[in-house]
Amino acid sequence: MKRYLILLLFTFQGLMAQVQFEARVSKNTLGLNERLRVDFIMNVDGDNFEQPAFDGFRVVAGPSQQISQSWVNGRSSFQKIYSYILQPDRKGTINIKQAAIEFNGQVYKTSPIKIVVTNAVAQERDPNDRPQGSGSETLNLVAEISKTNPYLNEPITVVYKLYFNNIGVTGFKELAKPKYNDFWNQNIDIKQLAIEEGTYQGQRCYYVILKKTILYPQKSGKLTIEPLSLDIGVQLPTNRRDMFGQMILTDDNKIVSAGAKTINVRPLPESNKPEGFSGAVGKFNFTVTPSKTSLKNGESLDLVVSASGAGNMKLFTLPKPVVPNALEMYDPVHDEKVTTSLAGMSGKISDKYTIIPQYKGKYVIKPMQFSYFDLSTGSYKTITSQEITVDVLDGPMQTEASNSANASKNVITKTEQFKYIKPKTTLVSIAKKDFYSSDLYFILIFLPFVILPIIVLAKKKKEAIDGDVAGNRIKMNNKLAKKYLSEAKKQLNNKEPFYIALEKAMHNFLKAKLHIETSEMSKDNIRELLLSRKANPETVQNFIILTENCEFARYAPASSASIQQDYDKAVLIISELEKQMV
């Protein structure tokens, strides 16, 4: 019995050892423009074949299946093959992962295979498949740059053109997208690809404009534009003809690249640079416009500071007005109406300030200066606005309001105010009536003693609130933070307005909680102040990171999902800081 069990065990092990499942490739190293054959071979009829994901490759053909079975000298052999033809998408080392099958309840997997993809290589052709006139065909990808030595923040354009001649183009796929490090960039939409006639290296040919991009360099020195690379499907004529004498075309793929480009960016001149220059480059008009100049007590005015023209409209800040202390000015609402074309950005940007006067009188808003670098003359230009006089027609005078506040405070603090008022009456009624002993009678008697202290306390509190300018600013900043968060929520589908509103909400939150102005909002100062208020370090770091990313996210690509995540993150961070800060 024991011998039979041992025999059965060896038989089972032999059957298990007979199952073979492996992956084979036509080559382990190939060029970017070559193709790879992968075969998954098994010697049993396995079920539930699972192919790998083929990350880094494009499946050109497959899977194709082959099954063969034979008998030799009384012994049978079986083979089943799944085959694929792959085209690499990128250079480097790429792994072909495991495939799997099931057989008799067991799962079998192949071993991973490493494939090294190198640069495109020259390929040998069948003589009959070589194109006729092999020296006349043209296929070149060119990046045409409008200017290679611009000033800092001067617009340049990059137009990618595909030149071809004596060759059919059936389609293309991006292998490597261009990278514009240290450039502000925006693609110009091309509604429909159109074939045009032109010349390339002195030869007449056709071309298609594939991509247009406007760039604003943000850093001086030598900057590199990483190349655009394409995998292009082509049709080439061969030496073969069909039965009707027509030339037979062969399909092929070619890899083309526009090549890296170097831009030498010149810094703006330091000589004669105006004080307060904020980086505006182009040609601009500058205006400061009040909504009204005569106000009644309690009314407000809107002061609109705007710049219009052509230049780097989204990449500089407008000057901030300076107003007298008697005029309360709130943070601005920023607005942009800018279009971008191959000529660059043009349009109008503005900051609208809400100003509320506190006292009667005439107040002067000093002239404002806006400076920009004029590319046409290579010099700085400064525009100065007109002086604005605001006339507040009524309301308390500044000195009278101060004296009145001091006098009212003295009256309120006197404890002798009720010295001669007796708490009980000694009046004797001539005609006694039930009214004098009723509840209403006693309520009317004691009501003044209850109301007067309440009035005094309410008046004192109101004067304290009116005199607390800093506290009123904090309340206004809290309201503005909520307002901008609400505005950000409305702009979830509009990237730039969303991040503008989100950034303003977070700044106003800091102003309300830390009692600081925008000029004091450095990263280190914000971190130190928040930590001193017992805020959690991780929450503080998340707040700073989100604030820094707002400006970058306005110009970077972003999906609706990431915008929603940034909004939810801002709400969560502000809520956590509210709870943590003391």
Side-chain angles (χ1 to χ4, degrees):
M1 184 67 179
K2 182 177 181 181
R3 190 168 66 182
Y4 286 118
L5 288 175
I6 294 174
L7 180 60
L8 182 60
L9 178 61
F10 278 112
T11 302
F12 177 76
Q13 290 179 343
L15 289 174
M16 292 293 293
Q18 290 176 359
V19 177
Q20 296 178 358
F21 182 45
E22 61 180 344
R24 297 177 186 173
V25 294
S26 57
K27 58 179 72 177
N28 293 97
T29 301
L30 71 156
L32 187 62
N33 58 333
E34 294 184 301
R35 293 180 178 179
L36 177 73
R37 179 186 176 95
V38 183
D39 294 324
F40 298 98
I41 306 170
M42 65 192 78
N43 66 342
V44 294
D45 191 9
D47 297 322
N48 300 325
F49 172 73
E50 293 184 8
Q51 70 180 49
F54 296 125
D55 295 332
F57 291 94
R58 174 168 55 90
V59 178
V60 177
S64 61
Q65 181 178 322
Q66 302 176 21
I67 298 177
S68 62
Q69 189 169 7
S70 62
W71 290 84
V72 179
N73 297 326
R75 298 182 62 182
S76 65
S77 62
F78 177 88
Q79 189 176 69
K80 187 175 184 180
I81 303 175
Y82 289 93
S83 300
Y84 295 84
I85 303 297
L86 307 179
Q87 176 81 44
D89 288 335
R90 54 182 171 83
K91 296 188 295 183
T93 300
I94 307 175
N95 286 331
I96 296 179
K97 299 179 181 179
Q98 294 176 311
I101 60 169
E102 291 184 12
F103 182 71
N104 289 339
Q106 296 291 324
V107 176
Y108 299 88
K109 295 184 178 180
T110 61
S111 299
I113 301 177
K114 288 185 178 181
I115 304 297
V116 177
V117 181
T118 63
N119 291 322
V121 298
Q123 294 179 312
E124 292 293 332
R125 291 180 177 271
D126 185 330
N128 290 325
D129 288 337
R130 289 177 183 173
Q132 290 183 341
S134 58
S136 64
E137 66 274 356
T138 299
L139 185 66
N140 288 283
L141 180 63
V142 177
E144 296 183 355
I145 300 177
S146 60
K147 195 170 187 178
T148 57
N149 60 337
Y151 277 109
L152 187 70
N153 268 311
E154 179 181 357
I156 62 174
T157 59
V158 183
V159 178
Y160 294 93
K161 293 182 179 180
L162 180 66
Y163 288 92
F164 60 96
N165 195 23
N166 296 330
I167 191 171
V169 177
T170 59
F172 66 89
K173 175 183 177 182
E174 286 189 0
L175 295 180
K177 294 185 177 181
K179 296 179 181 178
Y180 310 109
N181 297 327
D182 298 315
F183 289 92
W184 182 95
N185 66 89
Q186 182 171 327
N187 290 329
I188 308 300
D189 290 336
I190 299 177
K191 295 182 179 180
Q192 186 175 2
L193 298 180
I195 299 176
E196 302 181 40
E197 290 189 15
T199 58
Y200 177 75
Q201 295 181 346
Q203 295 184 355
R204 191 175 183 84
C205 59
Y206 298 95
Y207 70 90
V208 175
I209 297 177
L210 302 179
K211 193 180 186 72
K212 299 178 182 179
T213 305
I214 183 80
L215 304 177
Y216 284 84
Q218 300 299 292
K219 180 180 176 182
S220 59
K222 290 186 177 180
L223 305 182
T224 300
I225 299 176
E226 298 294 333
L228 169 67
S229 296
L230 300 177
D231 179 4
I232 301 180
V234 297
Q235 287 184 331
L236 300 172
T238 68
N239 287 326
R240 296 176 178 175
R241 297 180 180 273
D242 59 18
M243 59 184 298
F244 301 104
Q246 299 291 329
M247 185 72 69
I248 296 177
L249 301 178
T250 180
D251 292 328
D252 199 358
N253 288 77
K254 287 185 176 291
I255 307 296
V256 294
S257 174
K261 301 295 180 181
T262 300
I263 308 297
N264 188 19
V265 182
R266 294 178 288 172
L268 298 178
E270 292 295 329
S271 60
N272 301 323
K273 180 180 288 187
E275 184 179 356
F277 174 71
S278 62
V281 176
K283 189 77 171 179
F284 302 98
N285 293 318
F286 176 71
T287 58
V288 180
T289 308
S291 59
K292 60 180 75 173
T293 54
S294 296
L295 304 173
K296 295 181 180 180
N297 184 31
E299 290 184 335
S300 64
L301 68 90
D302 290 332
L303 187 68
V304 180
V305 181
S306 63
S308 60
N312 58 334
M313 302 294 297
K314 299 181 180 181
L315 304 176
F316 62 85
T317 57
L318 293 168
K320 183 178 181 179
V322 178
V323 300
N325 292 332
L327 301 178
E328 184 72 13
M329 183 175 70
Y330 296 98
D331 286 342
V333 176
H334 186 76
D335 183 48
E336 294 180 355
K337 296 179 180 178
V338 179
T339 58
T340 305
S341 65
L342 279 182
M345 288 185 278
S346 62
K348 180 179 180 180
I349 63 172
S350 61
D351 289 336
K352 183 170 70 174
Y353 295 84
T354 299
I355 297 177
I356 301 176
Q358 305 296 311
Y359 308 106
K360 178 181 178 181
K362 292 187 176 182
Y363 304 97
V364 174
I365 299 177
K366 297 180 180 180
M368 299 173 60
Q369 290 187 334
F370 172 74
S371 301
Y372 66 92
F373 184 74
D374 189 346
L375 292 169
S376 60
T377 62
S379 61
Y380 292 97
K381 300 290 180 67
T382 300
I383 303 175
T384 304
S385 66
Q386 297 293 323
E387 182 178 274
I388 298 173
T389 301
V390 178
D391 187 8
V392 183
L393 302 177
D394 56 6
M397 297 293 290
Q398 193 164 4
T399 54
E400 292 178 358
S402 177
N403 294 334
S404 175
N406 292 332
S408 63
K409 287 180 181 177
N410 292 333
V411 171
I412 293 171
T413 56
K414 288 182 178 180
T415 56
E416 296 85 0
Q417 183 175 1
F418 305 110
K419 181 176 180 180
Y420 300 102
I421 299 178
K422 295 182 179 181
K424 294 184 179 180
T425 182
T426 57
L427 297 175
V428 178
S429 176
I430 299 175
K432 294 184 178 181
K433 295 182 180 178
D434 293 336
F435 171 76
Y436 293 108
S437 59
S438 65
D439 294 338
L440 180 60
Y441 169 79
F442 291 108
I443 290 173
L444 294 175
I445 289 294
F446 290 102
L447 188 60
F449 297 95
V450 176
I451 293 177
L452 282 177
I454 294 175
I455 293 174
V456 172
L457 292 174
K459 185 177 179 182
K460 183 176 180 181
K461 184 174 182 181
K462 183 177 183 304
E463 291 175 348
I465 292 174
D466 293 340
D468 185 13
V469 177
N472 290 334
R473 286 182 178 178
I474 292 173
K475 291 179 182 178
M476 179 57 68
N477 286 327
N478 275 328
K479 290 181 180 179
L480 287 173
K482 294 179 180 178
K483 170 188 172 184
Y484 286 121
L485 272 178
S486 175
E487 180 63 22
K489 188 174 183 180
K490 295 177 182 177
Q491 300 292 344
L492 285 175
N493 294 325
N494 299 311
K495 181 182 67 177
E496 292 186 15
F498 167 81
Y499 282 107
I500 291 172
L502 184 62
E503 185 178 19
K504 290 181 181 294
M506 300 183 75
H507 280 186
N508 281 298
F509 173 77
L510 289 179
K511 289 183 179 181
K513 296 302 178 183
L514 302 181
H515 308 165
I516 61 175
E517 295 298 328
T518 304
S519 59
E520 301 173 310
M521 290 187 185
S522 68
K523 180 172 66 175
D524 294 335
N525 193 30
I526 292 172
R527 179 183 285 107
E528 182 180 351
L529 290 174
L530 288 175
L531 292 176
S532 67
R533 299 285 296 275
K534 307 301 180 184
N536 186 286
E538 183 179 355
T539 306
V540 173
Q541 184 64 22
N542 290 338
F543 185 94
I544 292 174
I545 291 173
L546 183 58
T547 304
E548 291 177 339
N549 287 344
C550 280
E551 181 65 22
F552 174 78
R554 289 167 58 186
Y555 309 120
S559 66
S560 60
S562 63
I563 292 176
Q564 181 66 50
Q565 290 172 3
D566 286 343
Y567 175 80
D568 295 338
K569 188 183 297 181
V571 174
L572 178 61
I573 291 173
I574 290 177
S575 176
E576 288 178 350
L577 288 177
E578 286 275 13
K579 297 175 183 177
Q580 296 168 5
M581 294 170 61
V582 296

